[in-house]
Amino acid sequence: SVSKNEQIRHQRIHYVGNLNQRQLYALYKKSKYFIHLAWLDHCPNVVVDARACGCQIICSSAGGTKEIAGKNSIIIEEDEWEDEF
């Protein structure tokens, strides 16, 4: 849910609101790419679903998403982080 004043107006950006699972899978099947840039997400189910529907995955190198994204995925390299403990 994005308020009207925060929405980006562009011909290639579409806001669809809340979707049920069937609608979501239909959207994935119509899409070429699925962008998931969460930081340190270990195994996001949405990436598994989008990949199963044929999307090419674009994801962060941090976390485990890159490991399930597939051979043809596009990985955005994150800076290394240091544990200060």
Coordinates of all heavy atoms in Angstrom, one line a residue:
S1 N 0.8 -1.2 0.0 CA 0.0 0.0 0.0 C 0.9 1.2 0.0 O 1.7 1.4 0.9 CB -0.9 0.0 1.2 OG -1.6 1.2 1.3
V2 N 0.8 2.0 -1.1 CA 1.6 3.2 -1.2 C 0.6 4.4 -1.4 O -0.2 4.3 -2.3 CB 2.6 3.1 -2.4 CG1 3.4 4.4 -2.5 CG2 3.5 1.9 -2.2
S3 N 0.7 5.4 -0.6 CA -0.2 6.5 -0.8 C 0.1 7.2 -2.1 O 1.2 7.2 -2.7 CB 0.0 7.5 0.4 OG 1.3 8.1 0.3
K4 N -0.9 7.9 -2.7 CA -0.9 8.5 -4.0 C 0.3 9.5 -4.1 O 1.0 9.6 -5.1 CB -2.2 9.2 -4.3 CG -3.3 8.3 -4.6 CD -3.2 7.7 -6.0 CE -4.4 6.9 -6.4 NZ -4.2 6.2 -7.6
N5 N 0.5 10.3 -3.0 CA 1.6 11.3 -3.1 C 3.0 10.7 -3.0 O 4.0 11.4 -3.3 CB 1.4 12.3 -2.0 CG 1.5 11.8 -0.6 OD1 1.3 10.6 -0.4 ND2 1.8 12.7 0.4
E6 N 3.1 9.4 -2.7 CA 4.4 8.7 -2.6 C 4.7 7.8 -3.8 O 5.7 7.3 -4.0 CB 4.6 7.9 -1.4 CG 4.6 8.8 -0.1 CD 4.8 8.0 1.2 OE1 4.9 6.7 1.1 OE2 4.9 8.6 2.2
Q7 N 3.7 7.7 -4.7 CA 3.8 6.8 -5.9 C 4.6 7.5 -6.9 O 4.5 8.7 -7.2 CB 2.4 6.4 -6.4 CG 1.6 5.5 -5.5 CD 0.3 5.1 -6.1 OE1 0.0 5.4 -7.3 NE2 -0.4 4.3 -5.4
I8 N 5.5 6.7 -7.6 CA 6.3 7.1 -8.7 C 5.5 7.0 -10.0 O 5.0 5.9 -10.2 CB 7.6 6.3 -8.7 CG1 8.4 6.6 -7.5 CG2 8.4 6.7 -10.0 CD1 9.6 5.7 -7.3
R9 N 5.4 8.0 -10.7 CA 4.7 8.0 -12.0 C 5.7 7.6 -13.1 O 6.6 8.4 -13.4 CB 4.0 9.3 -12.3 CG 3.0 9.7 -11.2 CD 2.3 11.0 -11.5 NE 1.7 11.0 -12.8 CZ 0.4 10.8 -13.1 NH1 -0.4 10.6 -12.1 NH2 0.0 10.9 -14.3
H10 N 5.5 6.4 -13.6 CA 6.4 6.0 -14.7 C 5.6 4.9 -15.5 O 4.9 4.1 -14.8 CB 7.7 5.4 -14.2 CG 8.7 5.1 -15.2 ND1 8.7 4.0 -16.0 CD2 9.8 5.8 -15.7 CE1 9.7 4.0 -16.9 NE2 10.4 5.1 -16.7
Q11 N 5.8 4.8 -16.8 CA 5.0 3.9 -17.6 C 5.3 2.4 -17.3 O 4.5 1.5 -17.6 CB 5.2 4.2 -19.1 CG 6.6 3.9 -19.6 CD 6.8 4.3 -21.0 OE1 5.9 4.8 -21.7 NE2 8.0 3.9 -21.5
R12 N 6.5 2.2 -16.7 CA 6.9 0.8 -16.4 C 6.7 0.4 -14.9 O 7.2 -0.6 -14.5 CB 8.3 0.6 -16.8 CG 8.4 0.7 -18.4 CD 9.8 0.5 -18.8 NE 10.1 -1.0 -18.7 CZ 11.3 -1.5 -19.0 NH1 12.3 -0.8 -19.4 NH2 11.4 -2.8 -18.9
I13 N 6.1 1.3 -14.1 CA 5.8 1.0 -12.7 C 4.3 1.0 -12.5 O 3.6 1.9 -12.9 CB 6.5 2.1 -11.8 CG1 8.0 2.1 -11.9 CG2 6.0 1.8 -10.3 CD1 8.7 3.2 -11.2
H14 N 3.9 -0.2 -12.0 CA 2.4 -0.4 -11.8 C 2.2 -0.8 -10.3 O 2.8 -1.7 -9.8 CB 1.9 -1.5 -12.7 CG 2.2 -1.2 -14.2 ND1 1.5 -0.4 -14.9 CD2 3.2 -1.7 -14.9 CE1 2.0 -0.4 -16.2 NE2 3.1 -1.1 -16.2
Y15 N 1.3 -0.1 -9.7 CA 0.9 -0.4 -8.3 C -0.4 -1.3 -8.4 O -1.4 -0.9 -9.0 CB 0.6 0.9 -7.5 CG 1.8 1.7 -7.4 CD1 2.2 2.7 -8.3 CD2 2.7 1.5 -6.3 CE1 3.4 3.4 -8.1 CE2 3.8 2.2 -6.1 CZ 4.2 3.2 -7.1 OH 5.3 3.9 -6.9
V16 N -0.3 -2.5 -7.8 CA -1.5 -3.4 -8.0 C -2.2 -3.6 -6.7 O -3.3 -4.2 -6.7 CB -1.0 -4.8 -8.5 CG1 -0.5 -4.6 -9.9 CG2 0.1 -5.4 -7.6
G17 N -1.7 -3.1 -5.5 CA -2.4 -3.3 -4.3 C -2.3 -4.8 -3.8 O -1.4 -5.5 -4.2
N18 N -3.2 -5.1 -2.9 CA -3.2 -6.5 -2.3 C -3.7 -7.5 -3.3 O -4.8 -7.2 -4.0 CB -4.1 -6.5 -1.1 CG -3.4 -5.7 0.1 OD1 -2.2 -5.7 0.2 ND2 -4.3 -5.1 0.9
L19 N -3.0 -8.6 -3.5 CA -3.4 -9.6 -4.4 C -3.6 -11.0 -3.7 O -2.8 -11.2 -2.7 CB -2.4 -9.8 -5.5 CG -2.1 -8.6 -6.4 CD1 -0.9 -8.9 -7.3 CD2 -3.3 -8.1 -7.1
N20 N -4.5 -11.8 -4.1 CA -4.5 -13.2 -3.6 C -3.4 -14.0 -4.3 O -2.8 -13.5 -5.2 CB -5.9 -13.8 -3.7 CG -6.4 -14.0 -5.1 OD1 -5.6 -14.4 -6.0 ND2 -7.6 -13.7 -5.4
Q21 N -3.2 -15.2 -3.8 CA -2.1 -16.0 -4.3 C -2.3 -16.3 -5.9 O -1.3 -16.2 -6.6 CB -2.1 -17.3 -3.6 CG -0.8 -18.1 -3.9 CD -0.7 -19.4 -3.0 OE1 -1.7 -19.9 -2.6 NE2 0.5 -19.7 -2.7
R22 N -3.4 -16.6 -6.3 CA -3.7 -16.8 -7.8 C -3.3 -15.6 -8.6 O -2.7 -15.7 -9.6 CB -5.1 -17.3 -8.0 CG -5.4 -17.5 -9.5 CD -6.7 -18.1 -9.7 NE -6.6 -19.5 -9.5 CZ -7.6 -20.4 -9.6 NH1 -8.8 -20.0 -9.9 NH2 -7.4 -21.7 -9.5
Q23 N -3.8 -14.4 -8.1 CA -3.5 -13.2 -8.8 C -2.0 -12.9 -8.8 O -1.4 -12.4 -9.8 CB -4.2 -12.0 -8.2 CG -5.7 -12.1 -8.4 CD -6.4 -11.1 -7.5 OE1 -6.0 -10.8 -6.3 NE2 -7.5 -10.4 -8.0
L24 N -1.3 -13.2 -7.7 CA 0.1 -12.9 -7.6 C 0.9 -13.8 -8.5 O 1.8 -13.3 -9.3 CB 0.5 -13.2 -6.1 CG 2.0 -12.8 -5.8 CD1 2.2 -11.4 -6.1 CD2 2.2 -13.2 -4.3
Y25 N 0.6 -15.1 -8.6 CA 1.2 -16.0 -9.5 C 1.0 -15.6 -11.0 O 1.9 -15.7 -11.8 CB 0.8 -17.4 -9.3 CG 1.3 -18.0 -8.0 CD1 0.7 -19.2 -7.5 CD2 2.3 -17.5 -7.2 CE1 1.1 -19.7 -6.3 CE2 2.7 -18.0 -6.0 CZ 2.1 -19.2 -5.6 OH 2.5 -19.7 -4.4
A26 N -0.2 -15.1 -11.3 CA -0.5 -14.7 -12.7 C 0.4 -13.4 -13.0 O 0.9 -13.3 -14.1 CB -2.0 -14.3 -12.8
L27 N 0.6 -12.6 -12.0 CA 1.4 -11.4 -12.2 C 2.9 -11.8 -12.4 O 3.6 -11.3 -13.3 CB 1.3 -10.4 -11.0 CG 2.1 -9.2 -11.1 CD1 1.7 -8.3 -12.3 CD2 2.0 -8.4 -9.8
Y28 N 3.4 -12.8 -11.6 CA 4.7 -13.3 -11.8 C 4.9 -13.8 -13.2 O 5.9 -13.6 -13.9 CB 5.1 -14.4 -10.8 CG 5.2 -14.0 -9.4 CD1 5.1 -14.9 -8.3 CD2 5.5 -12.6 -9.0 CE1 5.3 -14.5 -7.0 CE2 5.6 -12.3 -7.7 CZ 5.5 -13.2 -6.7 OH 5.7 -12.9 -5.4
K29 N 3.9 -14.6 -13.7 CA 4.0 -15.2 -15.0 C 4.1 -14.2 -16.1 O 4.6 -14.5 -17.2 CB 2.9 -16.2 -15.2 CG 3.1 -17.5 -14.3 CD 2.0 -18.5 -14.5 CE 2.2 -19.7 -13.6 NZ 1.3 -20.7 -13.7
K30 N 3.5 -13.0 -15.9 CA 3.5 -12.0 -16.9 C 4.8 -11.1 -16.9 O 5.0 -10.4 -17.8 CB 2.3 -11.1 -16.7 CG 1.0 -11.7 -17.1 CD -0.2 -10.7 -16.8 CE -1.5 -11.4 -17.1 NZ -2.6 -10.5 -16.8
S31 N 5.5 -11.3 -15.8 CA 6.7 -10.4 -15.6 C 8.0 -11.1 -16.0 O 8.1 -12.3 -15.9 CB 6.8 -10.1 -14.1 OG 5.7 -9.5 -13.6
K32 N 8.9 -10.3 -16.5 CA 10.2 -10.9 -16.9 C 11.2 -10.9 -15.7 O 11.9 -11.9 -15.6 CB 10.8 -10.0 -18.0 CG 12.1 -10.5 -18.6 CD 12.6 -9.7 -19.8 CE 13.9 -10.3 -20.3 NZ 14.3 -9.5 -21.5
Y33 N 11.1 -9.9 -14.9 CA 12.0 -9.8 -13.8 C 11.3 -9.8 -12.4 O 10.2 -9.3 -12.4 CB 12.9 -8.5 -13.8 CG 13.7 -8.4 -15.1 CD1 13.3 -7.6 -16.2 CD2 14.9 -9.1 -15.2 CE1 14.0 -7.5 -17.3 CE2 15.7 -9.0 -16.3 CZ 15.2 -8.2 -17.4 OH 16.0 -8.2 -18.5
F34 N 12.0 -10.2 -11.4 CA 11.5 -10.1 -10.0 C 12.6 -9.5 -9.2 O 13.7 -10.0 -9.1 CB 11.1 -11.4 -9.4 CG 10.5 -11.3 -8.0 CD1 9.2 -11.0 -7.8 CD2 11.3 -11.5 -6.9 CE1 8.7 -10.9 -6.6 CE2 10.8 -11.4 -5.6 CZ 9.5 -11.1 -5.5
I35 N 12.4 -8.3 -8.6 CA 13.5 -7.6 -7.9 C 13.2 -7.8 -6.4 O 12.2 -7.5 -5.9 CB 13.4 -6.1 -8.2 CG1 13.6 -5.9 -9.7 CG2 14.5 -5.3 -7.4 CD1 13.4 -4.4 -10.2
H36 N 14.3 -8.3 -5.7 CA 14.2 -8.6 -4.3 C 15.5 -8.1 -3.7 O 16.5 -8.9 -3.7 CB 14.0 -10.1 -4.0 CG 13.8 -10.4 -2.6 ND1 12.6 -10.1 -1.9 CD2 14.6 -10.9 -1.6 CE1 12.7 -10.5 -0.6 NE2 14.0 -10.9 -0.5
L37 N 15.6 -6.9 -3.2 CA 16.8 -6.3 -2.7 C 16.9 -6.2 -1.2 O 17.6 -5.4 -0.7 CB 17.0 -4.9 -3.4 CG 17.1 -4.9 -4.9 CD1 17.3 -3.5 -5.4 CD2 18.3 -5.7 -5.3
A38 N 16.1 -7.1 -0.5 CA 16.2 -7.1 0.9 C 17.6 -7.4 1.4 O 18.3 -8.2 0.7 CB 15.2 -8.1 1.5
W39 N 18.0 -6.9 2.5 CA 19.3 -7.1 3.0 C 19.3 -8.3 4.1 O 18.5 -8.2 5.0 CB 19.9 -5.9 3.7 CG 21.3 -5.9 4.1 CD1 22.4 -6.1 3.2 CD2 21.8 -5.8 5.4 NE1 23.5 -6.0 3.9 CE2 23.2 -5.9 5.3 CE3 21.3 -5.6 6.6 CZ2 24.1 -5.8 6.4 CZ3 22.1 -5.6 7.7 CH2 23.5 -5.7 7.6
L40 N 20.1 -9.3 3.9 CA 20.2 -10.5 4.8 C 18.9 -11.3 4.9 O 18.6 -11.8 6.0 CB 20.7 -10.0 6.2 CG 22.1 -9.4 6.2 CD1 22.4 -9.0 7.7 CD2 23.1 -10.4 5.7
D41 N 18.1 -11.4 3.9 CA 17.0 -12.3 3.8 C 17.5 -13.7 3.5 O 18.1 -13.9 2.5 CB 16.0 -11.8 2.8 CG 14.6 -12.3 3.0 OD1 14.4 -13.3 3.8 OD2 13.6 -11.8 2.4
H42 N 17.3 -14.6 4.4 CA 17.9 -15.9 4.2 C 17.3 -16.9 3.2 O 18.0 -17.6 2.5 CB 18.1 -16.6 5.6 CG 18.9 -15.7 6.5 ND1 20.2 -15.5 6.4 CD2 18.5 -15.0 7.6 CE1 20.7 -14.7 7.3 NE2 19.6 -14.4 8.1
C43 N 16.0 -16.9 3.1 CA 15.3 -17.8 2.2 C 13.9 -17.3 1.9 O 12.9 -17.8 2.4 CB 15.3 -19.2 2.7 SG 14.7 -20.4 1.5
P44 N 13.8 -16.2 1.1 CA 12.5 -15.6 0.9 C 11.6 -16.5 0.0 O 12.0 -16.8 -1.2 CB 12.8 -14.3 0.2 CG 14.2 -14.5 -0.4 CD 14.9 -15.5 0.5
N45 N 10.5 -16.9 0.5 CA 9.6 -17.7 -0.3 C 9.1 -17.0 -1.6 O 8.9 -17.6 -2.6 CB 8.4 -18.1 0.5 CG 8.7 -19.1 1.6 OD1 9.7 -19.8 1.5 ND2 7.9 -19.1 2.6
V46 N 9.0 -15.6 -1.5 CA 8.5 -14.9 -2.7 C 9.5 -15.1 -3.9 O 9.1 -15.2 -5.0 CB 8.3 -13.4 -2.5 CG1 7.1 -13.2 -1.5 CG2 9.5 -12.7 -2.0
V47 N 10.8 -15.2 -3.6 CA 11.7 -15.5 -4.7 C 11.6 -16.9 -5.2 O 11.6 -17.0 -6.5 CB 13.2 -15.2 -4.2 CG1 14.2 -15.6 -5.2 CG2 13.4 -13.8 -3.8
V48 N 11.3 -17.8 -4.4 CA 11.1 -19.2 -4.9 C 9.9 -19.2 -5.8 O 9.9 -19.8 -6.9 CB 10.9 -20.2 -3.7 CG1 10.5 -21.6 -4.2 CG2 12.2 -20.2 -2.8
D49 N 8.8 -18.5 -5.4 CA 7.5 -18.5 -6.2 C 7.8 -17.8 -7.5 O 7.3 -18.3 -8.5 CB 6.4 -17.7 -5.4 CG 6.0 -18.5 -4.2 OD1 6.2 -19.7 -4.1 OD2 5.3 -17.9 -3.3
A50 N 8.5 -16.6 -7.5 CA 8.7 -15.9 -8.7 C 9.6 -16.7 -9.7 O 9.3 -16.7 -10.9 CB 9.3 -14.5 -8.4
R51 N 10.6 -17.3 -9.1 CA 11.4 -18.2 -10.0 C 10.7 -19.3 -10.6 O 10.8 -19.6 -11.8 CB 12.6 -18.7 -9.2 CG 13.6 -19.4 -10.0 CD 14.9 -19.8 -9.2 NE 15.7 -20.6 -10.1 CZ 16.4 -21.6 -9.6 NH1 16.5 -21.8 -8.3 NH2 17.1 -22.3 -10.5
A52 N 9.8 -20.0 -9.8 CA 9.0 -21.1 -10.3 C 8.1 -20.6 -11.4 O 7.7 -21.4 -12.3 CB 8.2 -21.7 -9.2
C53 N 7.7 -19.3 -11.4 CA 6.8 -18.8 -12.4 C 7.6 -18.3 -13.6 O 7.0 -17.7 -14.6 CB 5.9 -17.7 -11.8 SG 4.7 -18.2 -10.7
G54 N 8.9 -18.4 -13.6 CA 9.7 -18.0 -14.8 C 10.4 -16.7 -14.7 O 11.0 -16.3 -15.7
C55 N 10.3 -16.0 -13.6 CA 11.0 -14.6 -13.5 C 12.5 -14.8 -13.4 O 13.0 -15.7 -12.7 CB 10.5 -13.9 -12.3 SG 8.7 -13.4 -12.4
Q56 N 13.2 -13.8 -14.0 CA 14.6 -13.7 -13.8 C 14.7 -12.9 -12.5 O 14.1 -11.8 -12.3 CB 15.3 -13.0 -14.9 CG 16.8 -12.9 -14.7 CD 17.5 -12.3 -15.8 OE1 16.9 -11.8 -16.8 NE2 18.9 -12.2 -15.8
I57 N 15.5 -13.4 -11.5 CA 15.6 -12.7 -10.2 C 16.8 -11.7 -10.2 O 17.9 -12.0 -10.6 CB 15.8 -13.8 -9.1 CG1 14.8 -14.9 -9.2 CG2 15.9 -13.2 -7.7 CD1 13.4 -14.5 -9.0
I58 N 16.5 -10.6 -9.6 CA 17.5 -9.6 -9.3 C 17.5 -9.4 -7.8 O 16.5 -9.1 -7.2 CB 17.1 -8.2 -10.0 CG1 17.0 -8.4 -11.5 CG2 18.2 -7.2 -9.6 CD1 16.5 -7.2 -12.2
C59 N 18.7 -9.7 -7.2 CA 18.7 -9.7 -5.7 C 20.0 -9.2 -5.2 O 21.0 -9.1 -5.9 CB 18.4 -11.1 -5.2 SG 19.6 -12.4 -5.6
S60 N 20.0 -9.0 -3.9 CA 21.2 -8.6 -3.2 C 22.2 -9.8 -2.9 O 21.7 -10.9 -2.8 CB 20.8 -8.0 -1.8 OG 21.9 -7.8 -1.0
S61 N 23.5 -9.5 -2.8 CA 24.4 -10.5 -2.5 C 24.4 -10.9 -1.0 O 25.0 -11.9 -0.6 CB 25.8 -10.1 -2.9 OG 26.2 -9.0 -2.2
A62 N 23.8 -10.1 -0.2 CA 23.8 -10.3 1.3 C 22.6 -11.2 1.6 O 21.5 -11.1 1.1 CB 23.6 -9.0 2.0
G63 N 22.9 -12.2 2.4 CA 21.9 -13.2 2.8 C 21.9 -14.4 1.9 O 22.8 -14.6 1.1
G64 N 20.8 -15.2 1.9 CA 20.8 -16.4 1.2 C 20.0 -16.3 -0.1 O 19.9 -17.3 -0.8
T65 N 19.4 -15.2 -0.4 CA 18.6 -15.1 -1.6 C 19.4 -15.5 -2.9 O 18.9 -16.2 -3.8 CB 18.0 -13.7 -1.8 OG1 17.4 -13.3 -0.6 CG2 17.1 -13.6 -2.9
K66 N 20.6 -15.1 -3.0 CA 21.4 -15.4 -4.2 C 21.6 -16.8 -4.4 O 21.8 -17.3 -5.5 CB 22.8 -14.7 -4.1 CG 23.7 -15.2 -3.0 CD 25.0 -14.5 -2.9 CE 25.8 -15.0 -1.7 NZ 27.0 -14.2 -1.5
E67 N 21.5 -17.6 -3.4 CA 21.7 -19.1 -3.5 C 20.5 -19.8 -4.0 O 20.6 -20.9 -4.6 CB 22.1 -19.7 -2.1 CG 23.4 -19.1 -1.6 CD 23.7 -19.4 -0.2 OE1 22.8 -20.0 0.5 OE2 24.7 -19.0 0.3
I68 N 19.3 -19.2 -4.0 CA 18.1 -19.8 -4.5 C 17.6 -19.0 -5.8 O 16.6 -19.5 -6.4 CB 17.0 -19.8 -3.5 CG1 16.6 -18.4 -3.0 CG2 17.3 -20.7 -2.3 CD1 15.4 -18.3 -2.2
A69 N 18.3 -18.0 -6.2 CA 17.9 -17.1 -7.3 C 18.0 -17.8 -8.7 O 17.4 -17.4 -9.6 CB 18.6 -15.8 -7.2
G70 N 18.9 -18.7 -8.8 CA 19.1 -19.4 -10.1 C 20.3 -18.9 -10.9 O 20.9 -17.9 -10.6
K71 N 20.6 -19.7 -11.9 CA 21.8 -19.4 -12.7 C 21.8 -18.1 -13.5 O 22.8 -17.5 -13.6 CB 22.1 -20.6 -13.7 CG 22.4 -21.9 -13.1 CD 22.5 -23.0 -14.2 CE 22.7 -24.3 -13.5 NZ 22.7 -25.4 -14.5
N72 N 20.6 -17.7 -13.9 CA 20.5 -16.5 -14.7 C 20.2 -15.3 -13.9 O 19.8 -14.3 -14.5 CB 19.5 -16.7 -15.9 CG 18.1 -16.8 -15.3 OD1 17.8 -17.1 -14.2 ND2 17.1 -16.5 -16.2
S73 N 20.3 -15.4 -12.6 CA 20.0 -14.2 -11.8 C 21.0 -13.1 -11.9 O 22.1 -13.3 -12.4 CB 19.9 -14.7 -10.3 OG 21.1 -15.1 -9.9
I74 N 20.6 -11.9 -11.5 CA 21.4 -10.7 -11.5 C 21.7 -10.4 -10.0 O 20.7 -10.2 -9.3 CB 20.8 -9.6 -12.2 CG1 20.6 -9.9 -13.7 CG2 21.6 -8.3 -12.1 CD1 19.7 -8.9 -14.5
I75 N 22.9 -10.5 -9.6 CA 23.3 -10.2 -8.2 C 23.8 -8.8 -8.0 O 24.8 -8.5 -8.7 CB 24.3 -11.3 -7.7 CG1 23.8 -12.7 -8.0 CG2 24.6 -11.1 -6.2 CD1 22.5 -13.1 -7.3
I76 N 23.2 -8.1 -7.1 CA 23.7 -6.7 -6.8 C 24.7 -6.9 -5.6 O 24.3 -7.3 -4.5 CB 22.6 -5.8 -6.4 CG1 21.5 -5.7 -7.5 CG2 23.1 -4.4 -6.1 CD1 22.0 -5.3 -8.9
E77 N 26.0 -6.6 -5.8 CA 27.0 -6.8 -4.8 C 26.9 -5.8 -3.7 O 26.9 -4.6 -4.0 CB 28.4 -6.8 -5.4 CG 28.7 -8.0 -6.3 CD 28.7 -9.4 -5.5 OE1 29.0 -9.4 -4.3 OE2 28.3 -10.4 -6.1
E78 N 26.7 -6.2 -2.5 CA 26.7 -5.4 -1.3 C 28.1 -5.2 -0.7 O 28.9 -6.1 -0.9 CB 25.8 -6.0 -0.2 CG 24.3 -6.2 -0.6 CD 23.5 -4.9 -0.5 OE1 24.0 -3.9 0.0 OE2 22.3 -4.9 -0.9
D79 N 28.3 -4.1 0.0 CA 29.5 -4.0 0.7 C 29.6 -5.0 1.8 O 28.6 -5.4 2.4 CB 29.6 -2.6 1.4 CG 29.8 -1.5 0.3 OD1 30.2 -1.8 -0.8 OD2 29.4 -0.3 0.6
E80 N 30.8 -5.5 2.1 CA 31.0 -6.4 3.3 C 30.6 -5.7 4.6 O 30.9 -4.5 4.7 CB 32.4 -6.9 3.3 CG 32.8 -7.8 2.1 CD 32.1 -9.1 2.1 OE1 31.9 -9.7 3.2 OE2 31.7 -9.6 1.0
W81 N 30.1 -6.4 5.5 CA 29.8 -5.8 6.8 C 30.6 -6.5 7.9 O 30.9 -7.7 7.7 CB 28.3 -5.9 7.1 CG 27.7 -7.2 7.1 CD1 27.4 -8.1 6.1 CD2 27.4 -8.0 8.3 NE1 26.9 -9.2 6.5 CE2 26.8 -9.2 7.9 CE3 27.4 -7.7 9.7 CZ2 26.4 -10.2 8.8 CZ3 27.0 -8.7 10.5 CH2 26.5 -9.9 10.1
E82 N 30.9 -5.8 8.9 CA 31.7 -6.4 10.0 C 30.8 -6.5 11.3 O 30.1 -5.6 11.6 CB 32.9 -5.5 10.3 CG 33.8 -5.4 9.1 CD 35.0 -4.5 9.5 OE1 35.4 -4.4 10.7 OE2 35.6 -4.0 8.5
D83 N 31.0 -7.6 11.9 CA 30.3 -7.8 13.2 C 31.1 -7.2 14.3 O 32.3 -7.5 14.5 CB 30.2 -9.3 13.4 CG 29.3 -9.7 14.6 OD1 28.8 -8.7 15.2 OD2 29.1 -10.9 14.9
E84 N 30.5 -6.2 15.0 CA 31.3 -5.5 16.0 C 31.2 -6.1 17.4 O 31.5 -5.4 18.4 CB 30.8 -4.0 16.0 CG 31.1 -3.3 14.7 CD 30.6 -1.9 14.7 OE1 30.5 -1.3 15.8 OE2 30.4 -1.3 13.7
F85 N 30.8 -7.3 17.5 CA 30.7 -7.9 18.8 C 32.0 -8.5 19.3 O 32.7 -9.0 18.6 CB 29.6 -9.0 18.8 CG 28.2 -8.4 18.6 CD1 27.5 -8.5 17.4 CD2 27.6 -7.7 19.7 CE1 26.3 -8.0 17.3 CE2 26.4 -7.1 19.5 CZ 25.7 -7.2 18.3

